[in-house]
Amino acid sequence: VVACGEKNMIDNQYEIIRILASPNNIKKVLLYFVPTSHPEYQKKIKAMSTASHKKDVSIDDLPSDLAYHLNLMGLLSGCTVGRDNMTTIEAKVQSMYSFVDVVEALLDPQTILVAKIRTGLFFYNAMLDVEMRLPSLKDAKCVWDLLETFAEVFSFAKDDLRQIEKNGWAASTSCRQKIEWMLVCAQIVNGYFGLYFDSTVFRPEV
């Protein structure tokens, strides 16, 4: 258990990261934590293709390697939750999966919704809402490319929420994970502009 409600269990978080990040374990533990150009990433794409046309996919129903990858990201994401004395954990987790590779996976149109949700939460918890900020993230083009894609997500959010309010979650037109992804996008926007964005760099044209 890495958190209970809003309280993080820091001793458990440290112990999990200590074990996973040990030199003897880390290569055996990590799976698909690679650039989109890596051959291993193509295996991830193939695994996601089995659920590419399904709605509200359960991680348990995915191929085992892909399910493991998403659950590992969930575990690591949980280990970075908290604000005090978290820099060591954050640095270790950030070193496992480059933020550029994380963002490029989010930008990949072949990434299925449930994978976007887990990857987006990982990006938010391990790289945005942190004490150990990544200097190169602030001006990274890939991050701005990601933020631009959220405009489409938010443009349909009101209609999606009204449809669910009218027809309920059980309706065939309702997609719970679509709403989850919208909320993750909102967290990422808030995290980036709240913690990384420097308004002094961007001046309005006169």
Side-chain angles (χ1 to χ4, degrees):
V1 178
V2 295
C4 184
E6 295 184 359
K7 179 177 175 56
N8 59 306
M9 315 297 286
I10 193 164
D11 290 340
N12 292 0
Q13 291 169 309
Y14 268 99
E15 185 63 15
I16 289 168
I17 295 301
R18 184 188 68 80
I19 294 170
L20 294 181
S22 71
N24 292 332
N25 290 333
I26 194 163
K27 288 185 178 180
K28 293 182 282 187
V29 167
L30 299 184
L31 178 66
Y32 300 148
F33 282 47
V34 295
T36 55
S37 58
H38 194 283
E40 189 175 289
Y41 185 80
Q42 296 309 310
K43 296 179 182 178
K44 178 183 174 182
I45 292 297
K46 185 176 180 180
M48 288 192 290
S49 69
T50 61
S52 60
H53 300 296
K54 297 178 182 178
K55 186 184 75 170
D56 289 336
V57 177
S58 169
I59 289 178
D60 292 338
D61 294 332
L62 295 171
S64 58
D65 284 357
L66 180 58
Y68 170 84
H69 168 67
L70 298 181
N71 282 324
L72 179 59
M73 274 200 297
L75 175 63
L76 294 174
S77 179
C79 285
T80 63
V81 171
R83 283 298 181 90
D84 297 323
N85 302 313
M86 299 298 293
T87 54
T88 301
I89 292 176
E90 290 167 358
K92 287 186 179 295
V93 173
Q94 289 166 0
S95 70
M96 293 179 186
Y97 201 1
S98 160
F99 83 85
V100 174
D101 297 337
V102 172
V103 173
E104 288 184 348
L106 287 170
L107 286 168
D108 188 343
Q110 298 177 93
T111 299
I112 59 176
L113 203 49
V114 66
K116 280 189 173 185
I117 293 166
R118 278 295 173 96
T119 307
L121 285 172
F122 178 85
F123 180 56
Y124 174 76
N125 286 317
M127 295 167 179
L128 292 179
D129 189 27
V130 292
E131 290 181 284
M132 189 74 176
R133 296 182 192 173
L134 296 161
S136 56
L137 188 151
K138 179 170 69 73
D139 299 318
K141 181 182 182 300
C142 62
V143 174
W144 283 99
D145 290 341
L146 179 66
L147 293 173
E148 286 182 7
T149 68
F150 295 165
E152 182 177 358
V153 176
F154 296 142
S155 68
F156 292 107
K158 186 184 293 186
D159 290 340
D160 290 335
L161 290 169
R162 282 176 173 168
Q163 184 278 131
I164 290 169
E165 182 181 24
K166 178 182 178 181
N167 300 316
W169 288 106
S172 60
T173 50
S174 299
C175 179
R176 186 176 297 274
Q177 287 178 347
K178 195 173 179 182
I179 302 303
E180 285 184 56
W181 173 235
M182 181 264 290
L183 294 173
V184 173
C185 293
Q187 285 182 283
I188 291 173
V189 170
N190 182 64
Y192 177 78
F193 285 100
L195 296 166
Y196 279 90
F197 182 71
D198 184 356
S199 60
T200 64
V201 175
F202 297 89
R203 300 179 185 276
E205 295 182 4
V206 178

